[in-house]
Amino acid sequence: MNQKQPISVSFILVNYNGAEILPDCLNSIEKFIDIPNHEIIVVDNASTDGSVELVAEKFPEVSLLKQAKNCGFGAGNNAGAKVASGEFLFLLNTDTVLTSNIIFHLIELMQADPKVGIIGPKLLNPDGSLQISVSPALGIKGEYQARQMHRDYLNISQQNLIEQKFQEIQEVDIVVGAAFFIRSSLFHKLGGFDETFFMYFEESDLCQRAQYQGYKIIYTPHVSLIHLKGYSIQKAANTMAIEYRRSQIYYYQKHRPLWEQLLLYLYLFYKFFGEFLTTANPNSLKIIILLFTVKKAAVQVSVSN
């Protein structure tokens, strides 16, 4: 009697009201991923748009986890990882579409170096252009560098130069969570995502904690997939703007020195206090309140090799 092969890769998709885009993502996985030892797990964060019924009816082979409420991106992935059987976890946004079988290359990179813990493949916009999907370590300097790179890329004269920087496999500080390939053992060793992050900065935090443990974060341009980018965020832009600042403050508390935390607090206070005085925007006031109410994070300590 043949023994069942262990599942090598577990695809985990966290869905929230993504019925319009989820089928394209799932269909692309089924079309291009032909390795026999893989599983697909969809974690639904209490959608109200018929997503659950769609998956159950159209994709019966998918493992569906229904959450009682929307606890965020990190918590959803943690729930999926708890039931996953794969040696590797491939965390995918529901607004991604595979165009080839990229798994073999990702596994080869992992197997070639046991210190590679996380890999981010190349992300493309729907028109096939490069989507910047890496970032320097976040902090005052890192956030400035990341924003400057994104601004420069909007300049047509700078695009080719920036694209040249991402032509080779390279070690980076952060890869975005839209397509996040990680060793299952490392994910569990780190305790998964910090669920205090509802959205934003959670993958940056996980990458930082992986580096504290001596693991490498790798970006590879040799395989790619399409990322629609920001589908779910566009539906609740104001709420997400506040959530971005909440996560930013919490991340700085965890990973940045006190002087950088103080600079961030001063910047946010003067920026949004001024906006509130001139526009009476209630969201500006909510962000000011965050400065005094965000949960204090435990300080992270670097672990040497």
Side-chain angles (χ1 to χ4, degrees):
M1 182 176 178
N2 293 329
Q3 290 185 336
K4 185 178 180 181
Q5 286 184 305
I7 295 174
S8 291
V9 180
S10 297
F11 291 82
I12 302 176
L13 290 73
V14 176
N15 176 68
Y16 178 66
N17 289 339
E20 295 178 23
I21 55 172
L22 182 58
D24 288 340
C25 182
L26 292 175
N27 283 326
S28 72
I29 296 173
E30 292 188 349
K31 179 179 180 180
F32 292 106
I33 305 304
D34 57 3
I35 58 174
N37 46 344
H38 75 277
E39 65 180 348
I40 305 171
I41 301 168
V42 171
V43 181
D44 188 81
N45 274 348
S47 295
T48 57
D49 67 343
S51 295
V52 170
E53 293 78 10
L54 183 150
V55 173
E57 178 183 353
K58 302 293 185 180
F59 302 93
E61 72 285 354
V62 169
S63 297
L64 178 61
L65 298 182
K66 294 180 284 186
Q67 303 292 84
K69 61 179 181 178
N70 184 3
C71 293
F73 176 81
N77 276 298
N78 287 349
K82 287 177 182 178
V83 301
S85 303
E87 180 182 357
F88 304 103
L89 307 178
F90 199 5
L91 314 182
L92 283 178
N93 277 16
T94 55
D95 61 353
T96 57
V97 178
L98 275 64
T99 57
S100 64
N101 188 349
I102 67 178
I103 291 298
F104 291 116
H105 176 65
L106 300 177
I107 293 177
E108 285 176 359
L109 288 180
M110 285 287 192
Q111 293 177 335
D113 185 350
K115 278 301 182 181
V116 172
I118 299 169
I119 303 174
K122 183 179 182 179
L123 296 184
L124 301 174
N125 294 308
D127 64 1
S129 61
L130 174 71
Q131 188 175 115
I132 297 173
S133 58
V134 304
S135 172
L138 294 186
I140 298 296
K141 180 180 179 181
E143 286 204 84
Y144 172 80
Q145 291 175 330
R147 290 177 183 177
Q148 190 61 48
M149 181 168 56
H150 283 271
R151 289 193 195 100
D152 289 345
Y153 194 63
L154 295 176
N155 186 337
I156 295 178
S157 65
Q158 295 288 319
Q159 287 181 2
N160 186 61
L161 180 63
I162 293 175
E163 287 177 359
Q164 290 300 315
K165 295 180 180 179
F166 298 106
Q167 293 297 316
E168 301 295 334
I169 296 174
Q170 55 195 277
E171 187 173 352
V172 297
D173 291 317
I174 296 166
V175 293
V176 302
F180 199 88
F181 194 72
I182 183 171
R183 297 180 189 273
S184 179
S185 58
L186 174 59
F187 189 86
H188 293 296
K189 179 180 181 180
L190 296 173
F193 287 109
D194 181 342
E195 296 185 11
T196 302
F197 296 101
F198 180 82
M199 184 172 285
Y200 299 114
F201 289 81
E202 62 277 282
E203 73 266 51
S204 303
D205 170 70
L206 194 68
C207 286
Q208 182 67 82
R209 290 188 284 125
Q211 289 175 315
Y212 289 158
Q213 295 292 330
Y215 285 89
K216 301 175 184 177
I217 317 298
I218 298 296
Y219 166 81
T220 176
H222 297 333
V223 291
S224 62
L225 65 158
I226 295 171
H227 180 214
L228 301 182
K229 195 176 184 179
Y231 172 83
S232 59
I233 295 171
Q234 292 168 6
K235 292 185 173 184
N238 289 334
T239 300
M240 291 299 98
I242 297 170
E243 198 56 47
Y244 177 89
R245 296 302 180 182
R246 185 195 311 277
S247 293
Q248 183 184 35
I249 294 167
Y250 181 66
Y251 182 90
Y252 272 64
Q253 289 178 352
K254 286 190 72 172
H255 298 292
R256 306 312 303 170
L258 183 59
W259 70 268
E260 285 197 28
Q261 295 179 44
L262 293 176
L263 277 181
L264 176 66
Y265 273 58
L266 288 171
Y267 167 75
L268 293 178
F269 180 81
Y270 282 106
K271 173 180 174 62
F272 290 102
F273 186 68
E275 284 187 10
F276 181 70
L277 290 179
T278 56
T279 66
N281 186 340
N283 290 323
S284 297
L285 180 59
K286 290 177 182 177
I287 291 174
I288 294 171
I289 293 173
L290 286 179
L291 298 174
F292 307 97
T293 58
V294 168
K295 173 185 175 183
K296 185 65 176 176
V299 176
Q300 301 293 303
V301 179
S302 176
V303 179
S304 58
N305 294 334

